Amino acid sequence: MILRIARKELLDLLRDGRFRVLAGLVLVVSVVSLGAGWKAYADLAAQHRTAQQATREQWLTQPKKNPHSAAHYGVYAFKPASPLAMVDTGIDPYVGVAVWLEAHKQNEMKYRPAQDRTAVQRFGSMTGAEVLQVLVPLFIVLMAFSAFAGEREQGTLRQLLSVGARPRDLALGKAVGIASALALILLPATLVCVVALTLSTSEGLLADDPTRVLALSGVYIVYFAALTAVSLWVSAWASSSRLALVVLLTFWFANSVVAPRVVSDLAAWLHPTPSAAEFQKTLDADLNDPKEMEERLARRREELFRQYRVDSEAALPIAFSGVSLQEGEEHGNEVFDRHFGALFDQYDRQNRTAQWAAALAPTLAASGLSMGLAGTDFAQHRHFVSAAEAYRRGIQRTMNGAITANQKPGQVYLAGRELWDQVASFDYAPPSTGWVLQQYTPALAVLAGWLVVATALLLRAASTALVD
């Protein structure tokens, strides 16, 4: 019975001229957005490889100089593009793709693609994720709003009772029929995405992390299933198809358009962050505290005097200038950890607020999980920033260690390629799929809750619709 109802629902949709027009529109926009995303990813990945090789070569071929000068010479660390960024660019266009690593500073990311876009480009760009989170839900609403209400108006619901249709069969059959129609549209777009992923990975399809692709597909399947259940529930509850359409369009607008902006503003209000100028002012005040540095150096000097049993810097078998430079780095590291850690924690709290707010708008859960699995969310941005900062600190320890070991009184120590080679190239490894899903436990729970509750309401409303 379920399959028969599903087949009838699918045929009715396919015969509807409005469905064909909407389906064609959704299909074209989906394919175009994925194609544009693949092109943008391919260009960015090529630029990343070229830039990474160039900055590495620049570091290794620098002339002989004092290691501290080399520490200020610095290197760039480039954030690698995830293949799934072709589907969901997330926050990447707004947070930058590279960071300059130098002595004494934890710099912010540079080169934000969004800064180079004109207003028209920002308005006209639509990613695959936006299609899936905004356009496809609208399509589901337009397919499902009359599923029950329309049949009630035509008087065919009572006829279903005479052939032994059960509410459960009716609800599931209509859901399967709508899902089949949706699959006819999304499967071609999915094939385009699969081909693009195949061409984008050096070792073949999904070589980087296949579980991310599978998890991302699962998230959108659950999201669409929940929206289908909600749409069918409203159709079964409403007294007319017109009322069902108005209610569902209102829900779609609130869920897909209003909620992301409102919740973003709410999260920023609940967990405020300082302006860039305020943040830099307080950071500089702590960095430039002379009393703190004097106390650190005095403690370190006494430790070295006791260790080597001497009573002056000149009698030390190592260069205290190198020790002093590293103590300055350690002081800066503590300040950076405190200030950037507090700032990033606020952003994490904002993200957590948005996840729980998905109880009112499921698109918030789908959006967060989509960015997370695509590797373009804030949690993975923070993961990259931490990895780049750890690499910067390793460079400073190597340079200052060389000064400590080799600097002689009255001489200028110059290092060359043998020291530069000791600094390995920056090789960033993104976190696992399990790590990502851990960051989005609330979103997973809320999205699953939407599906369970909506399905339960649908089955109950379908039973009432048949009886009435």
Side-chain angles (χ1 to χ4, degrees), residues 107 120 126 147 202-203 223 285 296 388 408:
N107 292 317
V120 174
M126 177 171 277
S202 59
E203 299 175 7
Y223 179 54
R296 290 185 70 100
K408 304 300 181 185

Side-chain angles (χ1 to χ4, degrees), residues 74-139:
V75 295
Y76 269 109
F78 295 91
K79 185 179 180 181
S82 164
L84 285 174
M86 70 179 69
V87 176
D88 195 336
T89 57
I91 67 170
D92 279 1
Y94 305 95
V95 297
V97 297
V99 59
W100 180 246
L101 310 177
E102 60 177 326
H104 312 314
K105 295 180 181 179
Q106 180 174 342
N107 292 317
E108 294 183 355
M109 298 281 286
K110 296 182 178 181
Y111 309 119
R112 299 172 174 88
Q115 290 179 327
D116 299 326
R117 296 179 184 171
T118 64
V120 174
Q121 286 174 321
R122 292 190 187 118
F123 177 79
S125 62
M126 177 171 277
T127 65
E130 289 171 329
V131 172
L132 295 173
Q133 294 164 25
V134 179
L135 197 55
V136 171
L138 176 61
F139 184 71

Side-chain angles (χ1 to χ4, degrees), residues 35 37 80 125 163 215 226 234 248 304 335 342 384 395 408 463:
S125 62
V163 296
V234 171
L248 286 172
L304 291 174
V335 174
F384 169 79
I395 294 175
K408 304 300 181 185
S463 178

Side-chain angles (χ1 to χ4, degrees), residues 181-217:
L182 189 61
L184 292 177
I185 303 167
L186 295 182
L187 280 177
T190 302
L191 289 175
V192 171
C193 187
V194 168
V195 172
L197 284 171
T198 303
L199 296 175
S200 301
T201 53
S202 59
E203 299 175 7
L205 178 62
L206 314 185
D208 292 336
D209 193 349
T211 57
R212 282 193 180 230
V213 180
L214 296 175
L216 184 61
S217 301

Side-chain angles (χ1 to χ4, degrees), residues 378-459:
F378 177 75
Q380 282 161 102
H381 173 71
R382 182 176 186 175
H383 189 275
F384 169 79
V385 169
S386 297
E389 177 61 11
Y391 180 72
R392 183 192 74 84
R393 296 178 185 184
I395 294 175
Q396 306 317 309
R397 282 192 294 271
T398 300
M399 297 300 105
N400 292 332
I403 294 174
T404 302
N406 298 291
Q407 180 73 51
K408 304 300 181 185
Q411 298 180 5
V412 177
Y413 168 54
L414 300 179
R417 179 68 181 257
E418 71 284 351
L419 180 58
W420 318 148
D421 280 331
Q422 292 181 27
V423 176
S425 60
F426 179 65
D427 187 16
Y428 174 67
S432 66
T433 304
W435 184 91
V436 173
L437 294 177
Q438 246 184 347
Q439 312 304 309
Y440 289 93
T441 302
L444 285 169
V446 171
L447 191 59
W450 267 94
L451 178 58
V452 171
V453 172
T455 301
L457 290 173
L458 168 60
L459 294 177

